[in-house]
Amino acid sequence: MTNIKKSIHGEWSSRTAFILAATGSAVGLGNIWKFPYITGENGGGAFVLVYLLCVALIGIPIFIAESMMGRRGRENPVNTMLNLSTEANTTPQWQYVGWLGIIAGLLILSYYSVIAGWASAYVVKAFVGDFINTDAAQVQQLFDQFIKSPLQLIFWHSVMMLTTLIIVARGVGEGLEKSVRFLMPSLFALLILLLMYAMTTKGYFQGLHFLFNVDFSKLTGKGVLIAMGQAFFSLGLGMGCVMVYGAYLPKDISIAKTSIIIAAVDTVVALLAGIIIFPIVFSNNLNPSAGPGLIFETLPLAFGNMTGGWLFGVLFFIILVFAALSSAIALIEPAIAWLIENRNLSRKLASLYACTASWGLGLITIFSFNVWSDIKLFGQNLFELLDFLTSNIMLPLGGLAIAVFSGWLMNAQHSQQELNLVSDNHFKIWHFLIKYIAPIAVFLVFLQVMGII
Ligand code: PHE
């Protein structure tokens, strides 16, 4: 029976350990770097509202489903899907959901590590005092010069990938638990500090208005897809990473409660980042749709002009790097678990192969900001395409498959037993959301973007 099988990777030592690791995977560049810039590109309030709805109605039910399936299957996503499809008496083709996840993880990590590299380069820039008393034009120039240099980007990307490799080669363990335990509160404290700064700027209310004033005329159909993709990306859903983390989850832990806590923390961090960035954008007459450079062109202004800004700047970018690393290790874990379990590799070798592949793919993103910046397909450069393909297509597709599998194919008694909810009604709510609402919503968004409805 698969449901009594113990994970070969060991287990989390406690519920807190799982919450910490899963929060570490959820909170990262997606919240602090990506959420603000895509909100800026997609007109603000209406986009934020759709994002929040997607987190609540699609994200949380799928998060619960994915961890529950992981804990029942107990292996890497491919084998977990195989185990579960055998148990549900259905086709082994479901294993391709696992494959989709492994590939999405490698692809996402390839650019994630590049951006984490930007954050680490900014630790040094903050440290040597590059932000002190700067104005918007100087900060912009600093960033432009930086991303125009393939060598610098390759250097920092390599530093990040190597660090990821060293951490994952050691396995899911204490180190991770400990670092996240200290990381999250520090990140939170620094965000509050930055929030206090943002409140003193003249663009504070304009920033809030931009973020929370819902004006649907500013939101395009593609914007809706991007908002949904971001719900998946930010929660780390639809690619088997919640599934592998779920596989390390002891039996007696309430999956639903932990999933809701993680989603809430993740959402609060993203909103905080937005409430910090947009006032700075409007106070300095910057463009909210500046793209992936947005936080690198705004936060240095805050640090350069606030008391204690040197220290806070250094600390902030260090913490951002740590937050990125705790997500990076989650992105690569499905591939590593597969290499260990199905190819009989040692953890060290599996980590080396997976990180090397992802490192190589990262060069595409690096060159898309400089030597290949003219290469465009459908009006998007290679980085944008990669991000679009993974966040907005692969993750929602994986999520859709997870929803359909757990809602329609898995025996409801099994999922009820696995979720072990205190009240029957809670189970019914989840089951309704996962069976109808989540899959239909994802499907409709896809149709709408393809121009079918
Ligand atoms: N959730 C992470 C972030 O917001 C990124 C991530 C995506 C991690 C997918 C794991 C899986 O930064």
Side-chain angles (χ1 to χ4, degrees):
M1 280 273 289
T2 44
N3 62 338
I4 49 164
K5 194 162 163 183
K6 220 170 137 62
S7 167
I8 64 162
H9 305 282
E11 284 190 343
W12 303 110
S13 58
S14 65
R15 166 160 167 247
T16 330
F18 172 71
I19 294 188
L20 286 170
T23 313
S25 138
V27 176
L29 296 170
N31 310 61
I32 291 171
W33 160 75
K34 196 171 178 196
F35 175 74
Y37 95 74
I38 57 175
T39 300
E41 285 178 336
N42 289 284
F47 177 86
V48 174
L49 179 67
V50 174
Y51 167 71
L52 293 176
L53 285 174
C54 288
V55 169
L57 298 177
I58 307 176
I60 294 179
I62 295 184
F63 200 104
I64 295 175
E66 194 176 327
S67 17
M68 181 265 288
M69 285 163 68
R71 185 165 72 181
R72 200 166 179 86
R74 294 254 137 185
E75 284 181 67
N76 69 71
V78 173
N79 294 10
T80 288
M81 289 311 296
L82 273 173
N83 292 344
L84 294 177
S85 51
T86 315
E87 190 181 57
N89 262 329
T90 167
T91 151
Q93 309 282 356
W94 283 96
Q95 65 175 295
Y96 291 111
V97 177
W99 279 110
L100 184 77
I102 290 178
I103 294 165
L106 288 171
L107 289 174
I108 295 177
L109 180 62
S110 80
Y111 68 78
Y112 205 85
S113 157
V114 174
I115 312 293
W118 296 2
S120 40
Y122 268 61
V123 172
V124 177
K125 291 190 196 304
F127 186 80
V128 298
D130 275 355
F131 308 155
I132 295 171
N133 292 326
T134 43
D135 59 26
Q138 287 165 322
V139 172
Q140 220 155 2
Q141 200 192 0
L142 190 72
F143 180 72
D144 284 344
Q145 269 173 359
F146 172 61
I147 62 163
K148 287 280 163 296
S149 159
L151 280 183
Q152 285 195 52
L153 300 196
I154 292 175
F155 172 77
W156 289 109
H157 166 52
S158 310
V159 171
M160 283 298 102
M161 197 59 91
L162 195 65
T163 316
T164 307
L165 170 61
I166 293 170
I167 305 174
V168 287
R170 291 183 172 175
V172 177
E174 264 177 56
L176 174 64
E177 278 183 49
K178 280 206 189 106
S179 59
V180 181
R181 204 181 278 268
F182 129 93
L183 192 76
M184 287 302 140
S186 328
L187 179 66
F188 211 72
L190 277 173
L191 287 175
I192 297 294
L193 192 94
L194 281 167
L195 174 67
M196 279 157 38
Y197 170 81
M199 286 166 102
T200 65
T201 62
K202 61 177 192 294
Y204 183 60
F205 289 103
Q206 205 182 342
L208 285 187
H209 186 264
F210 180 80
L211 263 181
F212 297 116
N213 179 52
V214 178
D215 174 357
F216 277 103
S217 69
K218 290 192 188 153
L219 188 64
T220 59
K222 194 173 159 199
V224 175
L225 176 69
I226 297 176
M228 181 177 76
Q230 175 64 6
F232 281 95
F233 186 89
S234 194
L235 293 172
L237 273 186
M239 53 142 287
C241 124
V242 176
M243 213 180 260
V244 251
Y245 275 15
Y248 311 142
L249 197 55
K251 283 282 159 204
D252 52 348
I253 284 173
S254 158
I255 287 181
K257 221 199 274 166
T258 42
S259 306
I260 293 172
I261 297 175
I262 294 159
V265 173
D266 187 64
T267 308
V268 168
V269 174
L271 289 176
L272 262 178
I275 300 175
I276 291 164
I277 305 286
F278 287 106
I280 305 176
V281 168
F282 293 114
S283 307
N284 293 282
N285 291 323
L286 295 168
N287 178 5
S289 54
L294 189 66
I295 65 160
F296 298 96
E297 293 171 354
T298 47
L299 292 179
L301 281 173
F303 296 126
N305 296 296
M306 68 199 256
T307 351
W310 177 85
L311 179 67
F312 297 135
V314 175
L315 285 178
F316 179 83
F317 283 108
I318 291 181
I319 289 175
L320 186 58
V321 169
F322 274 99
L325 284 171
S326 63
S327 300
I329 57 180
L331 281 161
I332 197 94
E333 188 62 25
I336 293 177
W338 181 82
L339 286 168
I340 297 175
E341 287 166 352
N342 296 27
R343 285 286 168 270
N344 274 327
L345 293 184
S346 68
R347 186 156 187 107
K348 288 201 171 66
L349 214 51
S351 310
L352 181 67
Y353 288 162
C355 288
T356 308
S358 199
W359 179 87
L361 287 165
L363 299 178
I364 300 177
T365 294
I366 290 184
F367 296 144
S368 79
F369 290 106
N370 35 66
V371 285
W372 290 348
S373 59
D374 288 337
I375 304 182
K376 297 227 158 110
L377 277 171
F378 313 110
Q380 293 183 307
N381 70 26
L382 294 174
F383 156 69
E384 288 162 341
L385 275 177
L386 196 60
D387 177 40
F388 191 84
L389 175 74
T390 48
S391 313
N392 303 335
I393 313 277
M394 294 173 88
L395 298 187
L397 262 186
L400 178 64
I402 287 167
V404 169
F405 190 91
S406 58
W408 294 86
L409 299 173
M410 224 175 136
N411 182 326
Q413 260 167 3
H414 289 169
S415 46
Q416 184 157 21
Q417 173 197 343
E418 203 63 56
L419 290 178
N420 196 12
L421 290 167
V422 242
S423 115
D424 237 17
N425 280 340
H426 288 174
F427 178 76
K428 282 192 190 127
I429 296 173
W430 171 78
H431 209 239
F432 178 75
L433 288 171
I434 205 73
K435 194 164 178 175
Y436 301 105
I437 304 298
I440 292 172
V442 176
F443 195 63
L444 287 180
V445 175
F446 277 145
L447 287 186
Q448 175 259 125
V449 167
M450 291 189 289
I452 297 173
I453 52 170

